[in-house]
Amino acid sequence: ISNQLHSFWNQLAGEFTNMYAKWNQHHAQQLESDRNNTEDIIDSQESNTTTIINNQNENTDKVVNGYDNSGLTSSNDTLKDSLSKMEEQEDKAMEYARTAIDDFQYDDGFFSRFTAPIADVSYFMNHVYSALAGLNIPIGFSLTLTIAMLCIGYYRFKGGLRCFNSLMP
């Protein structure tokens, strides 16, 4: 029995060895085939890329070398002439305003006739406000409230009420 098992084992080992060799050979052939296919694909892609780049270079040369800018140059010259004429006309138009502003003399006498009484009244009112000591708080509050009410009234007069009413259900 031992010899039979030994011979059976050798027969199985031989079959497995043959099968393993066939698999290795098949795998090696498949790898070589895949490698060849990959190299063919890479070569094809490189060829296509080179062709595309060459076509783009030719098209770029056609665009760059085929552009005629002579019309642009004449338009640019026309624009420069128009701008220089416009600047001359603008200088002539503004000359009167410049001379009037440069020749302006401020007369302080007329203005001081109105500001002097206001300064005297404000000086007097400042002393009255300071002399009230603790009573000046309600006066300051009422002045602040008056200004706030003016602002609110102006807001409502200018349409704020319509905006507020549109928000209400």
Side-chain angles (χ1 to χ4, degrees), residues 49-97:
T49 304
T50 304
T51 303
I52 290 171
I53 289 171
N54 290 336
N55 285 338
Q56 291 297 335
N57 288 340
E58 288 176 20
N59 291 337
T60 302
D61 288 341
K62 287 178 186 175
V63 168
V64 170
N65 296 330
Y67 179 70
D68 179 23
N69 66 351
S70 61
L72 183 62
T73 304
S74 67
S75 296
N76 193 19
D77 292 339
T78 305
L79 178 63
K80 284 181 184 178
D81 292 340
S82 297
L83 288 176
S84 64
K85 289 178 184 176
M86 185 188 73
E87 287 176 0
E88 290 173 11
Q89 293 297 326
E90 186 179 66
D91 288 342
K92 287 179 186 176
M94 294 304 290
E95 186 63 32
Y96 177 75

Side-chain angles (χ1 to χ4, degrees), residues 9 11-12 38 44 52 62-63 74 81 92 104-105 109 117 140 142 151 160:
W9 178 256
Q11 184 181 2
L12 280 177
T38 303
S44 174
I52 290 171
K62 287 178 186 175
V63 168
S74 67
D81 292 340
K92 287 179 186 176
F104 179 74
Q105 295 287 329
S142 65
C151 292

Side-chain angles (χ1 to χ4, degrees), residues 124-133 135-141 143:
F124 173 73
M125 293 301 288
N126 189 20
H127 282 299
V128 169
Y129 185 77
S130 297
L132 287 174
L135 292 176
N136 65 2
I137 293 173
I139 293 172
F141 178 73
L143 288 174

Side-chain angles (χ1 to χ4, degrees), residues 125-165:
M125 293 301 288
N126 189 20
H127 282 299
V128 169
Y129 185 77
S130 297
L132 287 174
L135 292 176
N136 65 2
I137 293 173
I139 293 172
F141 178 73
S142 65
L143 288 174
T144 304
L145 187 63
T146 302
I147 292 171
M149 288 297 167
L150 285 172
C151 292
I152 291 170
Y154 181 74
Y155 169 76
R156 291 183 72 188
F157 179 74
K158 285 297 184 180
L161 187 61
R162 285 188 297 257
C163 294
F164 181 73
N165 285 338

Side-chain angles (χ1 to χ4, degrees), residues 5-20:
L5 282 175
H6 184 64
S7 66
F8 179 67
W9 178 256
N10 286 341
Q11 184 181 2
L12 280 177
E15 288 296 323
F16 282 127
T17 303
N18 288 338
M19 190 184 306
Y20 181 74

